[in-house]
Amino acid sequence: MDKMAHSLSAAGFKARNIGYPSRSASISRLADDAIGKAVTECNAAGATKINFVTHSLGGILVRSYLARHSIPNLGRVVMLAPPNQGSEIVDKLGSWPIFKWINGPAGNELGTDSNSVPNRLGPAKFPVGIIAGDRSINWINSLLIPGPDDGKVSVQRTKLAGMNDFVVLHTTHPFIMRNRQAIRQTIQFLKTGAFK
């Protein structure tokens, strides 16, 4: 997310790039740790408005945090390639020991069934724009995903009830945050509440 953070800073935002150990804990625990840390740091720096730009699981962490905590100075959220309705990859490979080892507890919570964490979180009750990718460099995963996908999640499953705007770009899951169009669209949404 470094390129995105630098671009946001150049556009006038005070960007904080918060990392987290995605393979170490459940979604709710990661959300409390990572999103809680981000909110605390921003408030300590005097932020009057806190926006979020997330990639993949990060979008689910924001949703999880906001389902359980209030952020009075919340601004807008842009999610890049979020598995908002889960991913068929987890459905098909989640029981494999190597998958569990690589993806950790949070990864196994991202299935498409109604009891998966993303599907239990409900619709967005905050301003959110979603950018999906429709290009894959992981053809094996893409064989497991119906419809256009980015190699990890289908375009359809990135969508979230209550979203304010949605755009699909011809980019891949691991590189969407470095895509120039994605960066421009992110800045546009944070400033105006809509994509171009």
Side-chain angles (χ1 to χ4, degrees):
M1 294 290 280
D2 286 342
K3 184 176 181 180
M4 177 67 78
H6 291 308
S7 299
L8 290 169
S9 294
F13 295 94
K14 292 182 181 175
R16 293 188 179 273
N17 195 352
I18 307 292
Y20 59 93
S22 64
R23 299 175 180 106
S24 67
S26 68
I27 287 172
S28 60
R29 174 70 185 272
L30 291 172
D32 286 348
D33 291 349
I35 307 305
K37 176 183 178 183
V39 171
T40 299
E41 286 186 12
C42 289
N43 285 330
T48 56
K49 190 165 285 193
I50 299 175
N51 299 301
F52 290 94
V53 178
T54 67
H55 175 246
S56 195
L57 174 62
I60 309 307
L61 298 189
V62 168
R63 288 179 61 204
S64 173
Y65 188 87
L66 291 175
R68 296 173 290 110
H69 304 280
S70 174
I71 303 176
N73 53 344
L74 179 65
R76 296 181 174 120
V77 178
V78 175
M79 297 181 180
L80 308 170
N84 276 319
Q85 298 175 47
S87 173
E88 289 85 0
I89 301 300
V90 178
D91 295 345
K92 300 207 165 88
L93 305 180
S95 63
W96 294 17
I98 187 131
F99 183 91
K100 291 179 181 182
W101 180 74
I102 290 171
N103 294 285
N108 267 6
E109 294 178 308
L110 296 173
T112 64
D113 64 275
S114 59
N115 288 322
S116 72
V117 170
N119 289 318
R120 286 196 327 256
L121 290 173
K125 296 178 182 172
F126 50 90
V128 60
I130 296 169
I131 303 176
D134 69 356
R135 181 170 173 250
S136 175
I137 54 174
N138 191 331
W139 63 271
I140 294 173
N141 279 0
S142 291
L143 290 173
L144 304 175
I145 302 171
D149 69 90
D150 65 4
K152 292 282 186 178
V153 64
S154 71
V155 168
Q156 186 61 34
R157 290 200 178 275
T158 64
K159 295 178 181 178
L160 176 61
M163 64 186 175
N164 296 82
D165 209 346
F166 179 80
V167 66
V168 179
L169 302 177
H170 192 56
T171 188
T172 65
H173 192 88
F175 299 113
I176 192 168
M177 75 292 280
R178 300 177 57 83
N179 180 279
R180 289 180 187 165
Q181 284 181 290
I183 291 169
R184 282 195 296 269
Q185 292 281 27
T186 295
I187 293 167
Q188 176 75 15
F189 187 89
L190 292 180
K191 288 184 173 180
T192 69
F195 295 126
K196 281 189 178 178

